[in-house]
Structures are given as C-alpha cells and as structure tokens.
Amino acid sequence: MERVICLSIGYLFGLFQTAYIYGKIHGIDIRQYGSGNAGTTNTLRVLGTKAGLIVFAGDVLKCVFAVVICSALFGKSHPDMVYLFKIYAAAGAILGHNFPFYLHFKGGKGIAATAGLILSFHPTFLPVGVIMFFGTFLTTHYVSLGSLLVYAAFMVQITVSGQMGLFTGMSQPHLIELYAVASFLTAMAYYKHRENIKRLLKGEERKTYLFKKNKQ
C-alpha cells in the first residue's frame, strides 16, 4: 500500500507541468513549438535561457517535494525501506511529468524530474550526476547525450551502492526491487529519447547552447 501511495503522490506532483504552464503564461502551448516536448530543453530553445532555467527548477522541485513528503510519511515506520519509498515517489513524479492525463498524456521526457530524484535520493549521487551531465553537455552541447549518460551512471551507481551496503538495512529482495524500479525508469528514459538516439548515431542531433544559437 505504501508503494501505491508514494506513486500516487509522485504522480500528482508530476502533473505540475512547468513548461506548459510557463508557456501558457506567455501565450503559447510549448508543445506546438520546437520539438513539441514540454520540458526544459525545448523551453530553453523556444523561450530563452531564463525560461529554460525556471522550467528546470520547477520540474526538479516537484520531484524533490514528492520524495521528501513520502520519506516523511513512511520513513520512520519503515526505515529499512526509505529508499524504496523515495524511488517510487520519484517514479510517480516522472510518470506524471511524462504522461499527464489532462494533456492527453503528452508531457516531457522526465530528465529534469530525474535530476530531482538524484538530488533527493542520496548525497553521494549528486556529484556523479552533475559531473556526468555537465561534463558531457559542456563538451558536446548534446543535452540528450548527457541525459542518457546520467541515467546509465545512475543505474550503475545504484546497483553498486546497494551491493556495497550503502542503503543501510535494506534486504536483498528490497534491493532487487529498487534495482527493478531504477531499470524501469532507465528504460523509459531511453525509450523517450529513441529519436534522439537515432539522430546521435547519424550525427544529426541538434546542439543546445545556454546563451546563444538556440532560437529558430
């Protein structure tokens, strides 16, 4: 039951579509411009750096809030399962972001929300995520490549950390469940980026810059 509640809370937070709301405030439906994606990168390209940063912050925070609330609700009574509750809450937020029912399930790709998961999951995960994303993005200017590598690193890190005993008190069955949810999120991210992957392989992926060359 706790897992379902965490997923539900996360999904409700994920429904706060920052890019869509910000676009509507400025008179557009962001999904009808650029890549058609309701996320940070498309907002940055269509509406500029300030808009992109605001959307990124909103999408990160909605996942953080969901994780913090679920940890507070169930962490004390089930301390050995707190990381499971965290990842279920984050999974709900990412699903709500990617598939908002009131927008006909057309949302974003969940990367900024995933940043919220990494930020709130465990202190050791943040430096790896930051280095992996910005190291890739600042050298290649491919947001998609940085995002995909972050997920790959997250999957490796969560598995290695779990097997090394970082998540104190978790039983092996719960660890396997944790890895399964992380694998689902990773697979979903790669599926959502399938067209980006094709363009990357062909050398046709569009580069993104924080302060120049983005507007069409």
Side-chain angles (χ1 to χ4, degrees), residues 125 157-167 172 175 178-179:
F125 280 62
Q157 190 177 10
I158 200 170
T159 305
V160 172
S161 298
Q163 294 308 116
M164 290 180 65
L166 182 67
F167 310 131
Q172 191 62 31
L175 283 172
L178 184 71
Y179 307 153

Side-chain angles (χ1 to χ4, degrees), residues 25-203:
I25 290 172
H26 290 79
I28 68 168
D29 183 342
I30 192 68
R31 300 170 304 160
Q32 296 177 1
Y33 292 81
S35 67
N37 185 58
T40 298
T41 303
N42 195 39
T43 303
L44 187 150
R45 289 172 176 168
V46 174
L47 295 174
T49 301
K50 178 182 176 182
L53 292 175
I54 290 172
V55 168
F56 177 77
D59 288 345
V60 168
L61 289 174
K62 68 188 181 187
C63 187
V64 170
F65 289 151
V67 169
V68 169
I69 288 172
C70 290
S71 298
L73 282 175
F74 303 117
K76 289 185 179 180
S77 58
H78 299 83
D80 59 320
M81 296 175 64
V82 67
Y83 291 103
L84 264 182
F85 299 144
K86 285 184 176 185
I87 204 166
Y88 274 107
I94 294 166
L95 286 168
H97 175 81
N98 289 357
F99 307 107
F101 72 90
Y102 67 96
L103 295 179
H104 306 290
F105 301 99
K106 186 181 179 183
K109 295 180 179 178
I111 299 304
T114 300
L117 165 60
I118 293 172
L119 177 64
S120 56
F121 190 73
H122 191 280
T124 60
F125 280 62
L126 183 59
V128 175
V130 169
I131 292 170
M132 187 62 67
F133 179 79
F134 285 101
T136 303
F137 172 64
L138 293 176
T139 54
T140 68
H141 297 287
Y142 292 133
V143 173
S144 57
L145 181 59
S147 302
L148 292 169
L149 290 178
V150 164
Y151 253 111
F154 176 72
M155 192 66 238
V156 171
Q157 190 177 10
I158 200 170
T159 305
V160 172
S161 298
Q163 294 308 116
M164 290 180 65
L166 182 67
F167 310 131
T168 307
M170 285 194 74
S171 66
Q172 191 62 31
H174 284 157
L175 283 172
I176 292 172
E177 185 179 354
L178 184 71
Y179 307 153
V181 178
S183 297
F184 166 75
L185 293 177
T186 302
M188 182 169 62
Y190 275 72
Y191 175 77
K192 294 286 285 185
H193 283 81
R194 61 194 182 280
E195 296 301 324
N196 303 85
I197 293 171
K198 291 177 184 177
R199 290 193 294 269
L200 283 167
L201 292 173
K202 293 178 181 178

